[in-house]
Amino acid sequence: MKDYLIIGQGIAGTLLSWHLLQAGKDILVIDEIRPHTASRVAAGIINPVSGRRFEIAWEYDRIFPFAQQTYRAMEATLHTEIFVERDIWTVFPSPQMQQAFDAKTHNSAYILAAGQHRYAEFLHQEHSAAIIKGANVQLQNLLPAYRAYLLQRQCLYENVFDFAQLQLKEDHVVYQDIPARCVIFCEGPGIARNPYFSFIPFLPNKGEALQIKVPGFHTTDIIKKSIMLVPQAPEHFWVGSTFEWDYPHLEPTAAKRAVLEQGVQQLLKVPYEVVGQLAAVRPSTTDRRPVAGLHPQHPQLGVFNGMGTKGCSLAPLTAWQLMQCLENQVEMPAEIQIKRFFNRLKA
Ligand SMILES: Cc1cc2nc3c(=O)[nH]c(=O)nc-3n(C[C@H](O)[C@H](O)[C@H](O)COP(=O)(O)OP(=O)(O)OC[C@H]3O[C@@H](n4cnc5c(N)ncnc54)[C@H](O)[C@@H]3O)c2cc1C
């Protein structure tokens, strides 16, 4: 009997299955091959400074070092570059924004310097800029390399998970003819089709991004103004992203391309060329925290989801906390426990 079936190999399923394999568990990941999932479209930015109010991100002092250590271990096993520490060159659109930033981040360990001028030749930066210590997860390396690693160990079944083929037994499950102690669903926005966890309040939102070429512009920094510019290859950048809660379809749109291009033009002094456009749905919960744990009536079924805008920073630590809970009965932090939504089952 398998210990765990993990449904989905986005960043959530990748990190959970990684920790379980490291702990010696017998697992099988079931994932359908879909190119435009959040984890395949995201830039993988890890930014300590969150939102327009410049707060230091939730639990960042624990989350960042844990993510760094986990991705470094994955790099050593998968032999590919995954975790790249990058300065985030943050350009303020107004002096007021800079004052707000200075007030909030004064003495922060994550602010390396303020008031300098990098890239004057390339960027509109009339107001000052600051350097924030961030990172970038190379999802385009991590996801396929980890998939190959799973395949090599016969731990991956490339298929759509079909709920009609899942049988719940008293203390385990059988999927098709595969018995397992537990199934953990890491389906991202695909959870909308999951009949067991419909009580979790999700607020999925669509995000779009561009891929651009900026001739002559070479940097290893992430650059932030109203949009983020993330280096992907020499002269090539990911530009994102938009937020949309009410969307008629999942395809990239001309309207969001225009929004992103406006951000590019407010930032870049030099010509650029759009070479691609991407769109995907972020799996966010209404309280913007991950959700992890077992079903109250069917403890053979679990969930790990709700990564929202921050899958790359949140998944390593929260997946490990879920594993500790599953294997060693260690209580997870209240903010991520599925229990916080149990009262919705009574409603
Ligand atoms: C435009 C954009 C930019 C972003 N930028 C960043 C960023 O810079 N930094 C950051 O940290 N986060 C970013 N995010 C958010 C990040 O992408 C998400 O937090 C994260 O990818 C969610 O991962 P997940 O594994 O939960 O879901 P997903 O990535 O959606 O993965 C779910 C997986 O489950 C599979 N699946 C679903 N249902 C089934 C089924 N029935 N059977 C089999 N397989 C199934 C899917 O095919 C998929 O592989 C961004 C998101 C978007 C859209």
Side-chain angles (χ1 to χ4, degrees):
M1 164 139 42
K2 299 268 171 217
D3 292 312
Y4 295 96
L5 302 182
I6 310 280
I7 314 308
Q9 194 236 324
I11 194 77
T14 294
L15 268 297
L16 181 61
S17 59
W18 166 262
H19 289 312
L20 289 167
L21 280 173
Q22 295 300 297
K25 298 296 143 193
D26 185 2
I27 64 154
L28 181 69
V29 176
I30 303 178
D31 185 77
E32 61 174 314
I33 305 170
R34 238 200 274 165
H36 303 299
T37 59
S39 302
R40 288 176 181 87
V41 162
I45 302 161
I46 296 185
N47 182 357
V49 180
S50 192
R52 289 181 187 192
R53 293 193 193 147
F54 302 122
E55 307 279 359
I56 299 299
W58 175 68
E59 290 283 334
Y60 196 75
D61 291 341
R62 279 197 77 194
I63 282 171
F64 182 82
F66 198 93
Q68 184 180 41
Q69 175 197 322
T70 307
Y71 291 126
R72 291 273 180 247
M74 296 178 99
E75 277 177 344
T77 302
L78 302 176
H79 307 293
T80 187
E81 184 180 54
I82 295 170
F83 189 78
V84 181
E85 289 179 47
R86 294 189 190 277
D87 289 355
I88 304 177
W89 178 247
T90 305
V91 178
F92 299 107
S94 68
Q96 292 79 5
M97 290 285 268
Q98 189 192 346
Q99 281 160 16
F101 178 89
D102 290 344
K104 268 286 166 52
T105 57
H106 185 61
N107 281 340
S108 165
Y110 304 110
I111 312 308
L112 298 185
Q116 299 186 3
H117 276 278
R118 292 181 185 177
Y119 315 120
E121 194 188 326
F122 291 95
L123 305 183
H124 292 295
Q125 44 187 12
E126 291 73 26
H127 308 292
S128 198
I131 304 167
I132 298 172
K133 193 177 157 196
N136 174 215
V137 177
Q138 305 286 298
L139 290 159
Q140 73 281 13
N141 294 345
L142 168 62
L143 296 174
Y146 187 67
R147 200 171 184 91
Y149 173 83
L150 289 174
L151 268 175
Q152 209 177 31
R153 277 157 190 73
Q154 300 184 324
C155 292
L156 181 71
Y157 178 22
E158 295 187 314
N159 213 328
V160 181
F161 182 86
D162 174 10
F163 285 91
Q165 300 190 55
L166 177 70
Q167 298 171 53
L168 301 192
K169 305 289 182 186
E170 198 172 321
D171 62 351
H172 68 284
V173 297
V174 178
Y175 181 66
Q176 296 177 347
D177 57 354
I178 310 164
R181 275 168 49 206
C182 191
V183 189
I184 309 286
F185 292 99
C186 308
E187 315 133 293
I191 196 163
R193 295 182 293 272
N194 189 318
Y196 296 101
F197 292 99
S198 55
F199 63 91
I200 300 173
F202 273 89
L203 206 54
N205 60 86
K206 181 179 172 186
E208 296 194 35
L210 297 179
Q211 291 162 313
I212 64 169
K213 179 175 182 193
V214 188
F217 191 21
H218 297 270
T219 176
T220 54
D221 291 351
I222 294 171
I223 296 175
K224 179 175 187 303
K225 199 174 179 185
S226 62
I227 42 113
M228 307 281 267
L229 224 63
V230 184
Q232 290 201 307
E235 301 184 330
H236 285 75
F237 296 84
W238 178 101
V239 177
S241 54
T242 60
F243 288 83
E244 201 178 357
W245 282 269
D246 191 10
Y247 41 91
H249 58 77
L250 303 178
E251 300 305 313
T253 61
K256 294 302 176 205
R257 172 174 171 157
V259 169
L260 292 166
E261 283 212 61
Q262 191 182 32
V264 175
Q265 286 155 15
Q266 283 167 359
L267 181 62
L268 286 184
K269 280 181 182 170
V270 292
Y272 67 91
E273 181 192 345
V274 176
V275 294
Q277 187 173 359
L278 309 161
V281 175
R282 302 178 186 88
S284 300
T285 54
T286 49
D287 62 7
R288 295 201 250 155
R289 294 282 179 257
V291 55
L294 299 177
H295 192 282
Q297 277 115 38
H298 308 295
Q300 326 84 314
L301 305 179
V303 71
F304 182 51
N305 206 319
M307 297 296 135
T309 57
K310 296 197 172 110
C312 293
S313 51
L314 295 174
L317 179 63
T318 51
W320 184 79
Q321 288 168 330
L322 174 58
M323 183 194 72
Q324 288 295 319
C325 172
L326 294 170
E327 286 297 312
N328 303 320
Q329 291 72 52
V330 177
E331 184 91 347
M332 284 183 287
E335 293 98 324
I336 69 168
Q337 286 189 24
I338 189 177
K339 271 189 209 166
R340 69 192 194 272
F341 300 124
F342 284 175
N343 58 356
R344 295 175 58 95
L345 272 171
K346 296 179 199 135

